[in-house]
């Protein structure tokens, strides 16, 4: 696995004024936290992990392969920093997961027989509704 403490030490944070409602408080306090993490420059990740993250997180990365996350949910800068760090770690863990290879399965013979039997029953039921052929 990865060393989370080393990953967190490589993060850089920036406090920015948060947008939205909040009156005078929001106009003078920088409570929004922006996290930046350069995947290429990271020493906590192996080359294979870097390639996997770049492939999986491509839509969320800048042109320089930098992951940007931001949080302005709380009015507290410290709380926003904790939230963005936990979100970052979750994103990294999800990006490093290897999906299981799907093994195609065959339809069991019993299921095929059951389906054909059901079709035959329905067919006989509808055939019994027809007018008899008196030729």
């Amino acid at each position: 696995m990865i060393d989370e403490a080393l990953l967190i030490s490589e993060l850089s944070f920036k406090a920015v004024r948060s947008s939205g409602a909040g009156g005078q408080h929001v106009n003078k306090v920088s409570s929004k936290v922006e996290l930046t993490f350069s995947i290429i420059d990271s020493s906590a990740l192996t080359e294979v992990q870097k390639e996997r993250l770049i492939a999986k997180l491509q839509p969320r990365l800048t042109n320089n392969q930098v992951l940007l996350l931001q949080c302005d949910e709380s009015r507290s800068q410290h709380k926003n920093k904790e939230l963005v760090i936990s979100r970052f770690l979750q994103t990294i863990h999800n990006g490093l997961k290897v999906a299981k290879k799907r093994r195609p399965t065959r339809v069991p013979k019993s299921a095929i027989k059951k389906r054909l039997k059901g079709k035959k029953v329905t067919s006989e039921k509808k055939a019994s509704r027809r007018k008899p052929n008196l030729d």
Side-chain angles (χ1 to χ4, degrees):
M1 276 315 285
I2 53 176
D3 184 10
E4 290 183 0
L6 185 57
L7 264 180
I8 291 172
S9 69
E10 293 180 345
L11 300 176
S12 59
F13 299 96
K14 188 166 77 173
V16 187
R17 285 200 181 137
S18 188
S19 63
Q24 293 175 339
H25 181 77
V26 80
N27 295 332
K28 60 187 179 183
V29 178
S30 298
S31 60
K32 180 179 182 179
V33 176
E34 289 184 350
L35 174 146
T36 55
F37 175 70
S38 176
I39 295 178
I40 294 175
D41 298 334
S42 174
S43 60
L45 301 171
T46 64
E47 290 301 318
V48 176
Q49 290 173 330
K50 289 178 186 179
E51 289 173 12
R52 182 172 290 137
L53 282 175
I54 289 171
K56 282 200 173 180
L57 302 177
Q58 189 61 47
R60 302 179 75 178
L61 299 177
T62 65
N63 293 337
N64 302 332
Q65 310 307 335
V66 175
L67 178 66
L68 294 172
L69 295 174
Q70 46 187 277
C71 181
D72 61 350
E73 294 171 15
S74 172
R75 290 177 66 173
S76 164
Q77 189 183 112
H78 298 292
K79 181 70 175 167
N80 282 336
K81 188 173 179 181
E82 290 174 16
L83 288 169
V84 80
I85 289 174
S86 65
R87 199 178 297 157
F88 164 76
L89 291 174
Q90 188 66 39
T91 303
I92 295 296
H93 285 298
N94 289 342
L96 291 176
K97 277 185 187 168
V98 181
K100 283 186 186 176
K101 188 175 179 185
R102 183 187 176 279
R103 291 176 47 209
T105 57
R106 290 182 38 226
V107 180
K109 287 184 180 178
S110 61
I112 295 172
K113 285 181 182 177
K114 184 178 176 183
R115 181 180 62 86
L116 293 176
K117 184 179 176 188
K119 286 178 74 168
K120 183 164 268 187
V121 168
T122 307
S123 168
E124 289 170 357
K125 188 190 304 179
K126 291 187 175 190
S128 69
R129 293 180 190 152
R130 281 192 227 132
K131 290 182 181 176
N133 191 0
L134 301 174
D135 289 338

